Amino acid sequence: MKTDAEDPTLTIDELAARAGVTVRTVRFYGTKGLLPPPVIGPRRVGHYGRDHLARLALIEELQQQGMTLAAIERYMQRLPPGLSPDDLAIHRAVVASWAPDAVETVPRAELERRAGRELADEDVERLAAMGVIGADGEEFRVDIGLLRLGVRLLDMPLSQEAILAARKVLIEHSRAAAHELAQLFRGEVSERAAPDVKSLSSDMQPLVVQALLTSFQRSLKEELREWAQSDVGGSDVGGSA
């Protein structure tokens, strides 16, 4: 039998246990359209997989940010179709970034527990270079919002120099985009009543972040597609010479 990394193999009880919710919650989210229906297997048993786990994790993060069920439904409905579990994990990481900066000081064992894996000294050095952790005597200051992303980057086939350069590019462009959007919206809210301004501000961040993330994902896919096509074209030219 294939693992749930390939085909859904989790029963609803197993899915609920993995996600830390009740079976009743899973069924409720299904009726609300927040989860895709399970794959029906032999004996009419529904099976779930990584996509369901990723969506449950995203819903949990949205709840922790204080979003109502209606707001979560709207957020999930706006997600582009066909997102992979990894795409959903990225959305969850972005949602987690809405929270105030959460830096904690923890011992090495707790750092590894939160990372979900053992960390070699080289891994710790790379996380420190990315600004995810910092040494504090025998313990580590950890940016909780960045830890999951940093751990994922440890397994990427990229040099530390490339990761740091990419981080610099993203920070510079995101700050520029945030400044221009703030200027754009400032005129819209300046003459509104205080309650309207507060409501607009609370709704604006998730909508803008989602729009930026979606447009970035599409642009990046287009760039990678063009890159792959140019490589194929170059190989064909070289092969025919």
Side-chain angles (χ1 to χ4, degrees):
M1 178 182 290
K2 295 181 180 180
T3 66
D4 65 303
E6 298 172 290
D7 286 336
T9 59
L10 299 174
T11 65
I12 190 170
D13 296 281
E14 292 169 334
L15 174 69
R18 285 265 204 107
V21 299
T22 65
V23 170
R24 182 178 179 181
T25 297
V26 173
R27 289 186 173 132
F28 175 72
Y29 289 155
T31 62
K32 288 291 185 179
L34 297 176
L35 293 177
V39 174
I40 304 301
R43 293 180 291 182
R44 304 295 298 170
V45 175
H47 289 90
Y48 302 80
R50 290 181 62 220
D51 179 64
H52 298 90
L53 277 170
R55 287 180 181 273
L56 285 171
L58 176 55
I59 293 169
E60 177 191 22
E61 195 66 57
L62 292 168
Q63 287 178 325
Q64 290 181 357
Q65 298 304 320
M67 292 182 68
T68 64
L69 179 61
I72 292 174
E73 288 183 55
R74 290 194 297 270
Y75 184 96
M76 300 296 284
Q77 288 168 358
R78 294 190 186 105
L79 292 176
L83 289 181
S84 69
D86 288 339
D87 292 330
L88 291 166
I90 293 173
H91 274 270
R92 183 191 178 193
V94 171
V95 171
S97 72
W98 302 348
D101 292 340
V103 177
E104 298 182 21
T105 301
V106 299
R108 176 85 173 241
E110 177 64 12
L111 172 63
E112 293 183 338
R113 187 189 72 80
R114 298 199 179 199
R117 57 186 278 184
E118 292 184 5
L119 298 172
D121 290 342
E122 181 183 357
D123 296 331
V124 172
E125 291 175 3
R126 294 190 70 185
L127 289 173
M130 288 186 277
V132 176
I133 65 175
D136 187 2
E138 296 295 320
E139 298 186 322
F140 298 89
R141 295 186 307 277
V142 185
D143 188 324
I144 303 302
L146 289 178
L147 181 58
R148 190 179 299 272
L149 176 60
V151 171
R152 288 173 62 86
L153 287 173
L154 293 177
D155 297 325
M156 296 291 289
L158 295 171
S159 67
Q160 184 167 305
E161 290 75 15
I163 292 174
L164 295 179
R167 179 175 180 267
K168 181 180 179 181
V169 170
L170 289 172
I171 290 175
E172 290 178 352
H173 286 276
S174 61
R175 283 178 177 168
H179 176 74
E180 293 188 22
L181 288 170
Q183 295 296 322
L184 177 66
F185 290 128
R186 185 171 296 170
E188 293 292 320
V189 303
S190 60
E191 298 180 0
R192 294 176 181 264
D196 291 338
V197 173
K198 184 176 180 180
S199 176
L200 183 60
S201 298
S202 63
D203 291 338
M204 187 191 313
Q205 182 168 330
L207 291 176
V208 171
V209 169
Q210 189 179 63
L212 286 171
L213 179 58
T214 300
S215 61
F216 175 76
Q217 285 179 315
R218 289 174 178 171
S219 298
L220 184 58
K221 286 180 180 179
E222 291 175 3
E223 288 289 332
L224 294 175
R225 187 183 303 114
E226 292 177 4
W227 177 28
Q229 290 174 345
S230 65
D231 279 356
V232 171
S235 298
D236 290 343
V237 171
S240 62

